[in-house]
């Protein structure tokens, strides 16, 4: 019934199996990939005819993780998978980025890649397997895909690179890097690192590229057995191009000599309108209209790229290495815990840091299990930032991806929770955009965190690098603007501190770049990053010595685990009463760690005293502040340790002899007492003798009188 074709290869110490012909046979391409016991199904379907109204390649990649892959049932009321999680969105982008440039130029048929995680062994991350399976499915589908590609993950520990580290290995690694590309060139890099040098990062990319080559051989082997007949590649020739070029080339050359984005875009739009008026009529088909637009874009690319390669000067007049003017400001918004305004040229990020408690941690439900995240970074890109109107709503794939890149850049610098027990949320609002808004978010995040008093290890900055690669030469551009991104060949983002790289992301729009070009880009990025850090330091170069005025204060104590139940109480009654009476927020972990947060220290101390009164015993010799709750003939009972009372015997109330305790104290009076110990019934014995009742300090005994003589 099935014509099954299979390829197997040993890869990173485990077996990778690629299979087709058994599942999803009506798709144009379908590959089931197994790595260890992680299994992924990738399918590809392309429409047979292109939609003439679309002037772009409509490729969609959907990566989805099924709960059954980890033996779980989804939470929630409906008990089924819902909208894509952040991770699913990020992996969808991870697959999309290296495959998109390899479709034949001019191919506009709607294409959908769906990748489904069927099994997860908790050791081998499905994202790499998904990229390999998607590439294999495309390669055998017959679609005009100029692959195959492959991908690998690289770790770095104790001076050694690790190919496809397991989940446990990656936790102990100084690097988590994913690289994808062809045999000859790299197309995509995504990474988080712990301040590693440019040489180590470049070595990791090369190591990963060498590591995935056996997989490409396996995909080719599968294609030789099972590939379908190739589709006819559309004729990419555009008969309008020479005519449009003759009409608007001079106008575009003048337009791209204007440094200001808005004025330049106005002149470019006028040139485009001129071309449309000349070559598009009411009788023109949608395809003809799109061909004029495509021809215009090609001429734009030619004008900009040729000028840069010939003159070494860019659209805004800079040379290849110069970074745009930078202005960094902190504390720009009142009442926030930390804020910054980072402006670089015509790109601007307003970034706000907010400190919260354990209650504010984000619960993340993944195939690996449920865990809490205490550092959040969110990126917003409103349409006004580019002078346009547009839809407002939940974040799109681009916003999620840019936010995660900035998160990766800053995350290695965050303090550990045992020394800084706060949940931290950073929000980057892009208020102006002309290139590299994600890297502006990195710079602004670093400044806002320091403004909030978060003790990050070191300031972090980011820079976006571009590339123009033609037969007549290569130019690597530092701090690219939007037009250089759209019309160039590379978007290479590097972030880090003065000590090393913390995040690296690279996307290539051509069929790949060489190691030499990557080395040049990393060196230029290093220079640019140090310059940006220097400009940022003019505003703030380290975390403030104390938290902002409006930030909550958090104290951490530890109680015995067998006392947790008593502190919480039946149905949470005890801890609710402590919260209501003290005004503090309380978070108790299973290991006995208790975080108490409030706007003022008195509330925190009140909550601590109440918790300790339940979870621990008074300490002998320690002075406590208490309140007289009952006066009796032989002394007074004082509430001094949360709900704990103790007796101050009448003989322990004053240095002189008393007839009644009321001579010294009255009901409700606050007094300082010292714990003397416990009687045979476990009752607490207290004393007021030798304690200054104005400040609670012990009164030094009067020195003995010296004999005369």
């Amino acid at each position: 019934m099935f014509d099954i074709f299979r390829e197997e290869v040993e890869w990173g110490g485990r077996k990778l199996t690629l299979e087709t012909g058994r599942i999803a046979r009506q798709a144009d391409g379908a590959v089931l990939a197994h790595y260890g016991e992680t299994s992924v199904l990738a399918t590809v379907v392309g429409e047979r005819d292109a939609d003439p109204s679309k002037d772009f390649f409509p490729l969609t990649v959907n990566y989805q993780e099924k709960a059954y892959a980890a033996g779980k049932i989804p939470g929630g009321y409906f008990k089924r998978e819902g909208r894509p999680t952040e991770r699913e969105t990020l992996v969808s982008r991870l697959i999309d980025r290296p495959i998109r440039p390899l479709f034949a130029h001019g191919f506009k048929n709607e294409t959908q890649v769906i990748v489904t995680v069927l099994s997860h062994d908790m050791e081998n991350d499905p994202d790499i397997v998904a990229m390999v399976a998607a590439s294999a499915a495309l390669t055998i589908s017959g679609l005009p895909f100029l692959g195959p590609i492959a991908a690998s993950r690289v770790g770095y520990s104790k001076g050694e690179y690790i190919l496809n580290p397991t989940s446990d290995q990656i936790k102990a690694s100084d690097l988590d890097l994913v690289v994808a590309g062809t045999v000859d060139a790299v197309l995509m890099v995504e990474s988080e690192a712990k301040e590693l040098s440019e040489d180590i990062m470049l070595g990791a990319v090369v190591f990963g590229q060498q590591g995935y080559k056996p997989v490409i051989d396996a995909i080719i082997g599968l294609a030789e057995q099972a590939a379908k007949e190739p589709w006819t590649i559309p004729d990419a020739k555009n008969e309008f191009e020479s005519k449009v070029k003759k009409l608007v080339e001079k106008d575009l050359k003048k337009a791209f000599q204007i440094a200001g984005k808005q004025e330049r875009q106005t002149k470019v739009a006028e040139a485009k309108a001129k071309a449309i008026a000349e070559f598009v009529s009411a009788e023109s088909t949608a395809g003809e209209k799109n061909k004029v637009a495509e021809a215009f874009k090609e001429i734009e690319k030619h004008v900009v790229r040729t000028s840069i390669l010939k003159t070494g000067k860019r659209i805004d007049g800079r040379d290849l290495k110069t970074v745009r003017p930078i202005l960094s400001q902190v504390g720009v918004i009142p009442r926030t815990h930390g804020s910054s305004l980072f402006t670089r040229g015509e790109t601007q990020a307003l970034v706000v840091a907010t400190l919260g408690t354990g209650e504010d941690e984000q619960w993340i439900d993944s195939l690996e299990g449920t865990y809490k995240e205490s550092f959040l970074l969110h990126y917003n890109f409103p349409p006004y930032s580019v002078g346009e109107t547009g839809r407002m709503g939940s974040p799109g794939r681009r916003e999620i991806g840019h936010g995660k890149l900035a998160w990766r850049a800053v995350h290695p610098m965050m303090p550990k929770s045992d020394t800084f027990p706060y949940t931290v949320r950073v929000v980057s609002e892009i208020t102006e955009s002309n290139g590299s808004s994600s890297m502006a978010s990195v710079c602004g995040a670093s400044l806002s965190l320091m403004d909030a008093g978060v003790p990050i290890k070191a300031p972090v900055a980011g820079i976006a690098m571009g590339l123009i690669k033609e037969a007549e030469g290569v130019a690597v551009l530092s701090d690219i603007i939007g037009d250089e991104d759209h019309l160039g060949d590379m978007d290479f983002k590097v972030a880090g501190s003065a000590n090393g790289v913390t995040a690296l992301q690279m996307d290539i729009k051509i069929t790949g770049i060489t190691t030499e070009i990557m080395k040049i880009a990393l060196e230029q990025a290093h220079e640019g990053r140090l310059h940006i850090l220097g400009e940022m330091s003019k505003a703030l170069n380290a975390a403030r010595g104390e938290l902002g005025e409006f930030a909550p204060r958090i104290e951490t104590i530890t109680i015995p685990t067998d006392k947790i139940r008593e502190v919480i109480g039946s149905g949470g009654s005890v801890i609710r009463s402590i919260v209501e009476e003290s005004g503090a927020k309380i978070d108790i972990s299973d290991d006995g760690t208790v975080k108490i947060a409030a706007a003022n220290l008195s509330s925190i101390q009140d909550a601590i005293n109440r918790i300790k009164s339940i979870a621990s015993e008074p300490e002998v010799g320690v002075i406590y502040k208490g309140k007289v709750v009952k006066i009796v003939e032989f002394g007074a009972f004082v509430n001094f340790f949360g709900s704990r009372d103790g007796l101050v015997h009448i003989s322990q109330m004053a240095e002189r002899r008393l007839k009644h305790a009321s001579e010294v104290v009255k009901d409700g009076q606050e007094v300082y007492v010292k714990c003397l110990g416990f009687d045979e019934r476990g009752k607490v014995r207290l004393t007021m003798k030798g304690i200054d009742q104005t400040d609670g300090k012990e009164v030094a005994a009067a020195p003995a009188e010296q004999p005369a003589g």
Side-chain angles (χ1 to χ4, degrees):
M1 184 175 183
F2 301 117
D3 292 324
I4 299 174
F5 303 96
R6 187 179 288 112
E7 281 287 321
E8 294 182 354
V9 62
E10 280 294 320
W11 186 37
R14 281 141 284 171
K15 183 169 71 173
L16 172 70
T17 303
L18 303 176
E19 176 194 299
T20 189
R22 182 156 56 117
I23 299 176
R25 291 173 295 162
Q26 296 183 53
D28 290 316
V31 170
L32 181 63
H34 305 280
Y35 191 49
E37 292 185 340
T38 292
S39 301
V40 169
L41 173 67
T43 62
V44 176
V45 175
E47 290 287 350
R48 288 303 184 269
D49 298 306
D51 184 347
S53 66
K54 293 181 177 177
D55 60 351
F56 61 94
F57 173 38
L59 170 67
T60 304
V61 177
N62 298 105
Y63 167 88
Q64 51 189 2
E65 296 181 337
K66 298 297 185 179
Y68 57 68
K72 298 169 63 177
I73 295 175
Y77 181 80
F78 295 103
K79 298 298 178 186
R80 67 176 299 158
E81 291 82 3
R83 60 177 295 175
T85 64
E86 179 181 277
R87 173 176 162 79
E88 287 173 319
T89 298
L90 292 169
V91 178
S92 295
R93 283 171 53 88
L94 202 66
I95 299 168
D96 183 299
R97 286 156 48 194
I99 65 175
R100 186 176 290 271
L102 294 182
F103 280 86
H105 182 64
F107 183 67
K108 300 289 173 60
N109 300 41
E110 186 168 354
T111 302
Q112 186 176 39
V113 178
I114 298 177
V115 186
T116 307
V117 180
L118 304 178
S119 174
H120 186 5
D121 62 8
M122 304 301 159
E123 288 188 2
N124 300 292
D125 198 312
D127 58 359
I128 297 297
V129 192
M131 297 175 78
V132 169
S135 172
L138 282 165
T139 303
I140 68 171
S141 68
L143 273 70
F145 175 67
L146 309 179
I149 65 150
S152 61
R153 173 170 269 107
V154 179
Y156 184 77
S157 182
K158 299 178 181 178
E160 298 289 335
Y161 294 115
I162 307 167
L163 180 64
N164 292 343
T166 64
S167 298
D168 288 339
Q169 286 176 318
I170 207 67
K171 290 175 184 176
S173 174
D174 293 329
L175 173 68
D176 182 1
L177 180 142
V178 175
V179 56
T182 62
V183 172
D184 302 316
V186 172
L187 285 161
M188 188 276 297
V189 178
E190 184 82 47
S191 68
E192 179 183 340
K194 296 179 180 177
E195 294 184 290
L196 298 180
S197 70
E198 281 75 10
D199 286 343
I200 291 175
M201 296 299 289
L202 181 60
V205 173
V206 174
F207 179 83
Q209 184 189 15
Q210 294 298 318
Y212 66 58
K213 286 184 177 181
V215 177
I216 290 182
D217 293 336
I219 295 174
I220 293 172
L222 185 68
E224 288 174 345
Q225 302 175 64
K228 296 181 179 178
E229 286 296 317
W231 291 26
T232 302
I233 298 176
D235 184 5
K237 184 179 179 182
N238 191 328
E239 64 271 18
F240 286 101
E241 192 164 326
S242 60
K243 297 176 183 178
V244 175
K245 182 177 181 181
K246 186 176 181 180
L247 181 68
V248 301
E249 185 177 29
K250 288 182 180 179
D251 295 334
L252 285 175
K253 285 182 177 179
K254 289 180 182 178
F256 282 111
Q257 290 175 356
I258 300 171
K261 176 185 174 183
Q262 298 288 347
E263 187 182 353
R264 181 174 65 252
Q265 286 185 337
T266 299
K267 292 298 182 183
V268 170
E270 289 174 0
K272 187 173 184 179
K274 182 178 178 181
I276 291 172
E278 178 69 23
F279 299 108
V280 176
S281 66
E283 292 76 31
S284 298
T285 65
E288 289 172 332
K289 293 175 183 177
N290 287 337
K291 284 191 175 183
V292 172
E294 290 171 6
F296 185 84
K297 185 173 182 179
E298 289 301 315
I299 296 160
E300 277 189 282
K301 290 176 65 175
H302 173 75
V303 168
V304 171
R305 296 159 69 91
T306 302
S307 174
I308 291 174
L309 289 174
K310 282 185 177 179
T311 67
K313 294 290 184 182
R314 294 153 68 179
I315 296 171
D316 55 9
R318 287 180 292 154
D319 60 24
L320 302 184
K321 295 184 178 182
T322 299
V323 176
R324 289 169 290 173
I326 291 171
L327 178 61
S328 301
Q329 298 169 281
V330 294
V332 294
I333 304 178
R335 297 195 70 84
T336 57
H337 301 164
S339 62
S340 69
L341 185 66
F342 179 83
T343 308
R344 178 167 53 199
E346 294 174 301
T347 295
Q348 185 181 75
L350 176 64
V351 188
V352 179
T354 306
L355 306 186
T357 66
E359 291 182 357
D360 300 307
E361 290 178 324
Q362 182 180 20
W363 282 96
I364 297 177
D365 190 13
S366 68
L367 293 183
E368 291 85 355
T370 301
Y371 64 95
K372 288 182 177 182
E373 180 56 66
S374 60
F375 174 50
L376 315 173
L377 196 154
H378 298 145
Y379 165 102
N380 296 315
F381 192 86
Y384 67 75
S385 65
V386 288
E388 297 176 358
T389 60
R391 182 188 69 87
M392 293 291 290
S394 56
R397 286 190 173 193
R398 180 181 180 276
E399 289 174 301
I400 292 172
H402 279 36
K404 191 62 175 182
L405 173 59
W407 183 92
R408 288 192 181 104
V410 178
H411 181 242
M413 298 290 101
M414 292 297 291
K416 294 187 179 300
S417 59
D418 55 354
T419 59
F420 191 75
Y422 288 85
T423 297
V424 181
R425 181 186 185 226
V426 175
V427 179
S428 175
E429 307 283 359
I430 302 304
T431 51
E432 294 182 33
S433 180
N434 186 14
S436 193
S437 59
S438 63
M439 294 297 95
S441 298
V442 171
C443 301
S446 179
L447 288 167
S448 69
L449 287 167
M450 292 190 293
D451 184 49
V454 179
I456 60 174
K457 296 176 186 176
V460 182
I463 185 170
M465 311 297 295
L467 174 71
I468 305 294
K469 185 174 182 287
E470 296 284 359
E472 56 266 33
V474 174
V476 176
L477 316 178
S478 295
D479 182 27
I480 55 175
I481 62 174
D483 285 333
E484 292 167 342
D485 183 5
H486 301 148
L487 304 175
D489 297 323
M490 176 180 76
D491 185 8
F492 191 4
K493 293 166 180 158
V494 185
S497 68
N499 300 320
V501 175
T502 57
L504 189 154
Q505 183 185 86
M506 182 178 73
D507 291 308
I508 304 299
K509 300 173 188 177
I510 53 178
T511 54
I513 63 169
T514 63
T515 303
E516 185 59 32
I517 291 175
M518 275 192 289
K519 184 176 181 181
I520 293 170
L522 282 168
E523 289 172 353
Q524 265 183 234
H526 178 74
E527 295 174 15
R529 187 172 82 245
L530 294 182
H531 168 74
I532 295 165
L533 285 168
E535 294 298 302
M536 289 167 57
S537 70
K538 295 176 182 178
L540 202 59
N541 61 6
R544 298 193 188 280
E546 57 183 25
L547 300 181
E549 177 185 355
F550 301 102
R553 268 55 182 171
I554 297 181
E555 295 288 337
T556 302
I557 62 172
T558 302
I559 62 174
T561 54
D562 59 354
K563 294 288 186 178
I564 294 175
R565 185 185 297 272
E566 294 180 40
V567 173
I568 294 175
S570 176
S573 58
V574 175
I575 197 160
R576 275 200 305 272
S577 67
I578 296 174
V579 169
E580 289 170 3
E581 294 171 16
S582 67
K585 288 184 177 182
I586 301 171
D587 180 66
I588 303 178
S589 301
D590 292 340
D591 63 356
T593 301
V594 184
K595 297 177 183 177
I596 303 102
N600 57 76
L601 294 176
S602 61
S603 293
I604 293 175
Q605 192 57 54
D606 184 20
I608 289 175
N609 291 342
R610 292 171 185 272
I611 292 169
K612 284 185 174 180
S613 72
I614 300 169
S616 57
E617 296 291 332
E619 295 181 44
V620 175
V622 174
I623 296 173
Y624 298 94
K625 187 176 184 179
K627 182 184 289 187
V628 177
V629 292
K630 186 178 181 181
I631 297 175
V632 292
E633 185 177 341
F634 51 83
F637 287 97
V638 175
N639 174 235
F640 74 103
F641 194 67
S643 59
R644 184 71 68 90
D645 294 344
L647 173 67
V648 182
H649 192 268
I650 193 169
S651 64
Q652 294 292 330
M653 301 185 80
E655 300 296 336
R656 60 189 175 86
R657 186 180 181 87
L658 301 176
K659 293 183 178 179
H660 197 275
S662 59
E663 296 179 38
V664 178
V665 297
K666 58 184 178 180
D667 280 336
Q669 180 180 339
E670 290 187 341
V671 294
Y672 290 98
V673 294
K674 183 198 290 187
C675 178
L676 293 176
F678 306 87
D679 63 18
E680 63 277 3
R681 294 178 297 171
K683 303 292 185 181
V684 183
R685 296 187 296 110
L686 304 173
T687 182
M688 293 170 57
K689 292 172 70 173
I691 303 171
D692 189 333
Q693 291 299 314
T694 60
D695 58 13
K697 295 181 180 178
E698 285 196 81
V699 179
E705 196 174 298
Q706 297 293 325

